[in-house]
């Protein structure tokens, strides 16, 4: 590890992308993630890369489609309404099996909404905001250091499985500054891309990248191939962290910056004689089902805390599978629950 | 130790710069630090602010619902944040611009004519540094020596000639005591 830096989350995403060998960025400005574009507008030309501010989010995602087809490491970033505009392109890229990294620094919806922190795009990210049976890997960091490490990782995962990897964070994660320590050398996995459309040089058959399959037999076969790939990702790419779960009275499930609030609640609850555990899914898809199965018999109940109306809640309930009650506490519109409020929810559960 | 500081004022008064320098000093002392600037609608109406945490332990939420110290550079900021200061905490205010008095008797109050002093010193933008000087002497949140190091790291080279003056401003705030 090298020197320590004090950096904003958005700048760290941009720096991580450069370190991961990303040399193409296409985007369109929107708060609270615009610093990603600022940083890359300045730095991308210095490393011989391409920064392009597209005319719209739709254009940007289709530029990603094009660059990914040529086999280069490429990224786009936006925030909730902008990510909605990209959904058609995301579905096409998923069908065409192209590696790409997409960042969503989430704001609060629905609609144009507000710019304060939220997690209301969980469903859109993990259940498929675009059409068709596709999945993308969704990673939810909770600190600036993790934001850096996961962004670099995202490019490796994308190349390895020819998939989209999304980095999803709340507005505060993009805006806050924390210490980050960069590695001297990144673990950039080099994967050959014989499928890329880089010109035949009159030496091979031409590569075709498409998302249209007119014959039903062929399309079904392609879908089966996609599903097999998703199974493989589910097997290999689960990321989760649990803390204090053995003999916990209540296990809280939370991701992103909410998990940080829970880590403050744990010692507060301890003082009142309540043992609180935390399961923090880092990969939201693939979801860490086994981690919940592992601890399902332990607590009196689970509590899911989110900055939305209850989205990850559904996945937690599926994973706990009726073995214990799963309660929910959520705030919306950019409001953030404080520690006392969450502790009160926990006490309600232990009292009941 | 954990120090939770809110710095608030109008946009352009160096609220965010102050937060960033403070967090940077904490980092130089190998502490966990976070600095969360306001970026939302709360900035409208003169309460541009940032939340800074300097701690010996890993930092939980970067959002402060209460603070151990508050630096305010205008009246709306005092009104908005005085109630979140913990009992025994402190409020440092720029008395050149803040003429309201906090309605608290369980905190320490430091009232410094920072903007006027900075203006007299020849650079009005050092008001934030004067206030940080008081914060450092009153809380020991970071070491004064590291402040200078942080300035050399954070400021672009063309502004390094200002650093001796900034350290004078810091010194003024550090030693300030009300008559």
């Amino acid at each position: 590890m090298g020197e320590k830096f004090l950096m904003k989350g958005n700048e760290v995403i941009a720096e991580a992308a450069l370190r991961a060998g990303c040399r193409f960025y296409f985007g369109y400005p929107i708060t609270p993630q615009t610093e990603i574009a600022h940083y890359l507008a300045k730095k991308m030309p210095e490393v011989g890369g391409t920064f392009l501010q597209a005319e719209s989010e739709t254009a940007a995602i289709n530029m990603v489609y094009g660059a990914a087809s040529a086999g280069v490491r490429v990224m786009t970033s936006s925030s909730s309404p902008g990510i909605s505009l990209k959904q058609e392109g995301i579905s096409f890229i998923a069908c065409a099996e192209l590696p790409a990294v997409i960042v969503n620094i989430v704001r609060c919806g629905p609609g144009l909404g507000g710019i304060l922190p939220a997690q209301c795009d969980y469903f859109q990210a993990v259940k498929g905001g675009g059409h068709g049976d596709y999945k993308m890997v969704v990673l939810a960091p909770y600190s600036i250091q993790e934001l850096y490490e996961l962004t670099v990782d995202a490019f490796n995962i994308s190349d390895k499985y020819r998939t989209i990897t999304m980095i999803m964070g709340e507005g505060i994660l993009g805006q806050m500054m924390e210490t980050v320590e960069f590695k001297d050398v990144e673990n950039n996995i080099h994967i050959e891309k014989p499928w890329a459309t880089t010109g035949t040089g009159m030496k091979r058959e031409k590569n075709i990248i498409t998302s249209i399959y007119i014959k039903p037999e062929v399309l079904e076969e392609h879908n089966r191939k996609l599903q097999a790939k998703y199974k493989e990702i589910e097997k290999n790419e689960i990321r989760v962290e649990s803390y204090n779960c053995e003999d916990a009275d209540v296990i809280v499930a939370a991701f992103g910056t909410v998990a940080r609030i829970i880590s403050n609640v744990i010692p507060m609850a301890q003082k009142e004689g309540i043992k609180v555990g935390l399961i923090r899914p880092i990969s939201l898809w693939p979801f860490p089902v086994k981690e919940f199965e592992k601890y399902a018999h332990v607590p009196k109940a689970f509590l899911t805390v989110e900055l939305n109306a209850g989205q990850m809640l559904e996945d937690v309930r599926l994973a706990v599978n009726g073995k214990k009650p799963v309660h929910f506490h959520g705030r919306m519109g950019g409001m953030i629950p404080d520690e006392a409020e969450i502790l009160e929810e926990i006490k309600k559960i232990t009292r009941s | 130790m954990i120090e939770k500081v809110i710095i608030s004022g109008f946009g352009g008064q160096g609220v965010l710069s102050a937060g960033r320098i403070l967090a940077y000093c904490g980092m130089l002392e190998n502490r966990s630090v976070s600095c969360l600037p306001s970026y939302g609608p709360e900035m409208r109406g003169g309460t541009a602010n940032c939340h800074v945490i300097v701690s010996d332990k890993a930092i939980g939420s970067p959002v402060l619902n209460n603070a151990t110290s508050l630096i305010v550079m205008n009246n709306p900021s005092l009104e908005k944040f005085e109630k979140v200061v913990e009992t025994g905490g402190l409020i440092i205010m720029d008395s050149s611009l803040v003429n309201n008095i906090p309605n608290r008797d369980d905190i320490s109050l430091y009232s410094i004519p920072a903007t006027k002093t900075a203006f007299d010193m020849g650079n009005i933008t050092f008001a934030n540094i004067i206030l940080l000087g008081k914060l450092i002497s009153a809380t020991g949140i970071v070491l004064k020596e590291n402040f200078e190091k942080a300035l050399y790291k954070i400021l672009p080279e063309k502004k390094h000639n200002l650093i001796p003056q900034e350290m004078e401003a810091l010194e003024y705030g550090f030693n300030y005591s009300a008559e």
Side-chain angles (χ1 to χ4, degrees), chain A residues 260-327:
Chain A
R260 297 172 64 126
I261 305 174
I262 306 303
S263 68
N264 284 359
V265 174
I266 292 171
M268 287 166 69
Q270 193 72 49
K271 275 187 197 152
E272 306 207 16
I274 306 167
K275 190 163 179 206
V276 174
L278 169 66
I279 297 179
R280 176 171 75 92
I282 300 169
S283 56
L284 302 182
W285 192 87
F287 193 72
V289 175
K290 288 208 173 92
E291 198 70 5
F292 285 92
E293 284 174 351
K294 183 175 158 193
Y295 292 110
H297 65 285
V298 174
K300 184 168 180 190
F302 286 81
L303 171 67
T304 303
V305 184
E306 298 175 67
L307 303 182
N308 58 41
Q311 299 194 12
M312 182 174 76
L313 171 66
E314 293 189 1
D315 285 329
V316 174
R317 282 195 173 138
L318 283 170
V320 172
N321 202 13
K323 291 191 188 83
K324 290 289 159 68
V326 181
H327 302 273

Side-chain angles (χ1 to χ4, degrees), chain A residues 97-144:
Chain A
E97 293 194 89
L98 296 172
V101 174
I102 299 173
V103 179
N104 183 5
I105 298 300
V106 179
R107 47 199 268 173
C108 16
L112 201 48
I115 59 175
L116 290 173
Q119 300 179 324
C120 51
D121 297 353
Y122 180 95
F123 280 154
Q124 186 194 51
V126 308
K127 308 290 180 192
H131 55 282
D133 276 317
Y134 77 92
K135 289 284 181 191
M136 54 185 181
V137 176
V138 182
L139 304 175
Y142 85 141
S143 70
I144 302 299

Side-chain angles (χ1 to χ4, degrees), chain B residues 4 13-14 38 50 60 64 68 90 107-108 143 146 154 171 176:
Chain B
K4 300 177 283 184
Q13 282 182 304
S38 54
C50 69
L64 291 178
T68 52
L90 60 105
I107 51 108
S108 307
L143 296 171
N146 286 327
I154 289 176
E171 202 65 42
Y176 186 87

